Amino acid sequence: MAIPAFRSVQATSAEVVALKAKSNLASVSLGSKIIAFSDEFFAEASNLLKDEAAVFLPEEFTDRGKWMDGWETRRHNKNYDWTIVQLGYPGIIFGFDIDTSHFTGNHAPVVSIEGANASESDVVSGKAQFEEIVPKVDMNPGSHHYFVFEAPTKVYTHLRVNNYPDGGIARLRVYGQVVPQALVANANGTVDLAFVGNGGRAVACSNQHFCSPSNLVLPGRGKTMGDGWETRRSRTPNHSDWAILKLGISGYVEQVEFDTKQFCGNFPPLVTLHGTVSSEDIPSADAKWTEIIGGVPLTADAQHYFDSTGPKDVAFTHVKFTMYPDGGIKRIRINGRPASG
């Protein structure tokens, strides 16, 4: 498969909005990690994978110089610097954000990116074959640089970020879609059909003013309210907010979990869950939605478990979670049996 063409796009474009709706495969929340680097004298390469935006602290210094929230190598490299990122899950890539925020006179002037699909041991030992997927591109100081592929790439497990000749990069966002290599099962043998590691993803929502519904399918229970899904306060009578999740695996829903961890004064007081069967990423406006969980109350900062009251013989492809009237929730787990198994 040939490497698809790519192009630079403006931060305010609709293409960037679409990119940000994808999973960030390089997120530390997905288990992404740095497994090798040439240098990180001033600031650690692991900062590239932080979920939160980079910050600048004017008075903060270390024994090696100015503290910077990103990856920064020493000066005067006669070759170039590099770091290897292991993606949280293997996946196809739709685009990148190479972010040099707060790096002004010390930013990386040129960057390229290579990809490989290999085991961690092969990458560490040097046996993995990397191929260039983004050739050398110029970087501006203190800027987000968005690149979109004309078509999704093949599946990659690792990326090598090359920094010519040296300098700093604040964050790397790798917008893509997880392609599961094996199902992640629960202890009782069921599968979280919506889990990002099984290919689940958020595909639509009514509002994401504070944070994205993509967070709903992440591993673990998160760290702050910022890594859940939260909508703005509504002022309209009978309002509701909703998010649609495309299941990574079509399946029969048995039990669901709604987790409101850290949502205390802003959790939704009432929620429902419906399912549908569709061959589209986003079900059509006339899709028929079947109730899985009727109107149930939620409480602050708690995990809530409900057995499905929907049909047991329908293998759903999507679920629609609705909050009445609005609020925030950390995670949704859709536990059930895969249709193929």
Side-chain angles (χ1 to χ4, degrees):
M1 175 182 174
I3 305 300
F6 76 96
R7 53 197 164 80
S8 174
V9 295
Q10 295 297 312
T12 55
S13 69
E15 291 166 299
V16 168
V17 173
L19 262 191
K20 289 183 176 181
K22 308 294 185 184
S23 298
N24 175 18
L25 303 178
S27 164
V28 69
S29 292
L30 259 67
S32 301
K33 61 182 180 179
I34 301 296
I35 61 172
F37 54 83
S38 60
D39 182 80
E40 52 176 19
F41 185 84
F42 289 112
E44 294 82 4
S46 59
N47 290 329
L48 291 171
L49 312 180
K50 288 181 178 178
D51 293 319
E52 59 271 19
V55 299
F56 184 72
L57 304 177
E59 307 302 322
E60 189 73 16
F61 284 81
T62 74
D63 58 359
R64 294 193 172 189
K66 180 71 187 74
W67 179 88
M68 293 298 293
D69 191 11
W71 171 45
E72 186 181 4
T73 66
R74 71 188 76 208
R75 294 191 187 208
H76 312 308
N77 191 343
K78 296 180 180 179
N79 194 3
Y80 67 93
D81 282 311
W82 53 268
T83 187
I84 296 178
V85 178
Q86 180 169 301
L87 302 178
Y89 296 95
I92 57 176
I93 299 170
F94 292 85
F96 292 95
D97 173 17
I98 305 172
D99 177 11
T100 60
S101 289
H102 311 300
F103 286 94
T104 53
N106 55 346
H107 71 287
V110 176
V111 168
S112 72
I113 298 177
E114 301 168 78
N117 188 340
S119 66
E120 180 177 353
S121 60
D122 280 353
V123 172
V124 171
S125 68
K127 295 179 181 178
Q129 297 296 310
F130 280 86
E131 58 186 7
E132 188 173 72
I133 56 178
V134 176
K136 290 181 178 179
V137 287
D138 293 334
M139 296 284 107
N140 296 315
S143 303
H144 289 265
H145 306 81
Y146 292 98
F147 301 97
V148 175
F149 289 108
E150 298 294 344
T153 68
K154 66 177 72 169
V155 175
Y156 292 108
T157 58
H158 296 79
L159 299 176
R160 181 159 56 203
V161 181
N162 301 313
N163 173 344
Y164 303 91
D166 51 49
I169 304 169
R171 298 287 188 268
L172 175 70
R173 310 296 193 205
V174 181
Y175 295 111
Q177 180 179 322
V178 172
V179 178
Q181 307 301 292
L183 291 184
V184 180
N186 299 320
N188 63 2
T190 63
V191 169
D192 180 355
L193 306 171
F195 179 50
V196 66
N198 288 327
R201 53 199 170 95
V203 294
C205 69
S206 59
N207 181 266
Q208 52 181 339
H209 183 82
F210 291 107
C211 37
S212 169
S214 295
N215 293 328
L216 293 172
V217 298
L218 292 179
R221 298 187 67 201
K223 296 176 292 185
T224 68
M225 274 199 319
D227 57 16
W229 173 48
E230 185 181 1
T231 65
R232 65 168 59 94
R233 295 189 188 211
S234 62
R235 306 302 186 189
T236 305
N238 302 315
H239 180 83
S240 63
D241 279 316
W242 52 265
I244 296 176
L245 306 179
K246 180 176 172 58
L247 303 180
I249 314 151
S250 299
Y252 308 98
V253 179
E254 296 183 354
Q255 185 193 67
V256 303
E257 174 191 343
F258 303 136
D259 187 357
T260 58
K261 182 182 179 184
Q262 294 159 335
F263 288 94
C264 296
N266 52 352
F267 64 92
L270 192 73
V271 301
T272 61
L273 187 76
H274 292 75
T276 194
V277 178
S278 173
S279 60
E280 304 296 325
D281 264 8
I282 303 176
S284 63
D286 61 354
K288 179 183 177 182
W289 292 93
T290 302
E291 184 178 276
I292 298 174
I293 302 293
V296 292
L298 300 188
T299 58
D301 193 32
Q303 291 169 286
H304 308 77
Y305 299 92
F306 301 97
D307 291 332
S308 169
T309 57
K312 308 301 183 186
D313 58 347
V314 177
F316 293 112
T317 61
H318 298 72
V319 294
K320 183 177 184 179
F321 174 76
T322 306
M323 305 186 291
Y324 302 88
D326 54 41
I329 184 169
K330 182 60 69 71
R331 299 287 185 266
I332 294 177
R333 307 297 185 202
I334 310 297
N335 300 316
R337 295 177 293 109
S340 59

